[in-house]
Amino acid sequence: MVTRYVLALLIAFCVFIGLQMMGFFNLVQIQYRVWTLHRLESREISSIPWAMQYLNSDDPHLRAAAARGLGRIGQANTSVVSALIEKLNSDVPRVASESARALGSVKRTGLSGSNSVSQLEISDALVRALSHKNCSVRLSAAYSISERRFKSKQAIPALVKCLPDQRMGFMAARALGNLRARESAGDIAALLGDTSLGYQVEAIDALRKMEPLPVEIQTQIDQLLENSPELEKYLQ
């Protein structure tokens, strides 16, 4: 009996050592921290220093989770905004994408210092990210511009350039609609011929925010809705 007990302990010890050598416990610890960062609440300002600590982690999953957590908090000082911009500009796509979304979630009222400078920096960083080689980063940048309504001179042409992108052009259309960028109506109308129902819905919704529209574009919308009644259902 004692021999079996000792043997069981020895096997358990060997399994423990094996798991430790494989990095299992470190992985569990990382996943727990990621889970915790994803569940930060709005205005939980006291957690900002803790999240910032992981924004500089060696693990990209933790950095991405920290960026998302800061976005969920929704308020930040100038140093946090600068750190997120740096991650957007230079980190791996997963982290850059989460940083772009976080920059769209940070409320203007939560920024300290020179708010106007910070807003300009955020806008410029997001516009630059629209030309990022990774689609997920471009999508997140367009989403944040749409949410924040950054109507800069550079934003509108950069978004128009993204419209033909089959992976995120719909978000560019949404952003242009929220910006009421009437000069882009013709470019958005080109999406109406797309076979994707989702693209057509986003295009029509964006164009409706720019009314009154040129007669030819309004006619194109009316004809499309007449021939595809299901579109109106999704637009309501």
Side-chain angles (χ1 to χ4, degrees):
M1 186 70 181
V2 174
T3 303
R4 289 183 180 179
Y5 179 72
V6 172
L7 182 60
L9 284 176
L10 182 60
I11 291 173
F13 178 75
C14 290
V15 169
F16 177 83
I17 294 298
L19 290 173
Q20 191 172 37
M21 290 177 66
M22 293 168 58
F24 174 78
F25 297 109
N26 185 50
L27 179 62
V28 170
Q29 189 178 43
I30 288 173
Q31 289 304 315
Y32 173 74
R33 288 172 180 166
V34 167
W35 181 85
T36 307
L37 286 162
H38 283 179
R39 280 153 184 77
L40 290 176
E41 298 296 333
S42 175
R43 297 179 180 275
E44 199 174 330
I45 300 174
S46 60
S47 296
I48 289 177
W50 179 72
M52 283 290 289
Q53 173 187 344
Y54 292 110
L55 193 63
N56 296 312
S57 167
D58 292 334
D59 188 281
H61 297 87
L62 275 175
R63 296 199 302 274
R68 179 184 294 190
L70 289 167
R72 285 177 62 86
I73 292 172
Q75 296 192 22
N77 57 28
T78 304
S79 62
V80 173
V81 172
S82 297
L84 289 170
I85 290 174
E86 181 185 351
K87 296 300 177 185
L88 171 58
N89 290 338
S90 60
D91 214 318
V92 297
R94 177 195 292 266
V95 181
S97 178
E98 291 291 356
S99 298
R101 289 217 170 222
L103 288 168
S105 302
V106 172
K107 295 179 181 178
R108 298 182 185 184
T109 55
L111 294 170
S112 63
S114 178
N115 288 355
S116 60
V117 173
S118 294
Q119 295 306 309
L120 181 60
E121 288 176 352
I122 295 173
S123 175
D124 289 346
L126 291 173
V127 169
R128 285 195 303 271
L130 290 173
S131 59
H132 197 282
K133 62 182 179 180
N134 183 271
C135 171
S136 177
V137 178
R138 297 196 302 273
L139 177 63
S140 294
Y143 172 83
S144 290
I145 291 173
S146 174
E147 290 295 298
R148 299 295 292 266
R149 269 78 164 172
F150 283 133
K151 194 172 184 178
S152 68
K153 290 182 179 179
Q154 294 79 20
I156 294 173
L159 287 165
V160 168
K161 239 175 137 178
C162 292
L163 287 173
D165 189 331
Q166 290 294 314
R167 294 165 295 180
M168 54 77 62
F170 69 93
M171 188 59 71
R174 183 186 301 180
L176 289 165
N178 285 341
L179 295 177
R180 307 296 194 271
R182 297 187 66 194
E183 62 268 41
S184 67
D187 298 287
I188 297 175
L191 295 178
L192 295 176
D194 196 290
T195 54
S196 166
L197 181 66
Y199 266 69
Q200 291 175 337
V201 168
E202 290 287 357
I204 293 174
D205 186 57
L207 288 168
R208 282 181 168 177
K209 294 173 182 176
M210 302 175 186
E211 293 177 341
L213 294 165
V215 175
E216 61 274 15
I217 295 178
Q218 187 62 59
T219 301
Q220 188 179 0
I221 293 174
D222 293 341
Q223 290 176 347
L224 184 60
L225 291 174
E226 185 178 345
N227 296 329
S228 305
E230 69 274 15
L231 273 174
E232 191 65 64
K233 185 169 59 177
Y234 285 103
L235 287 163
Q236 290 175 349

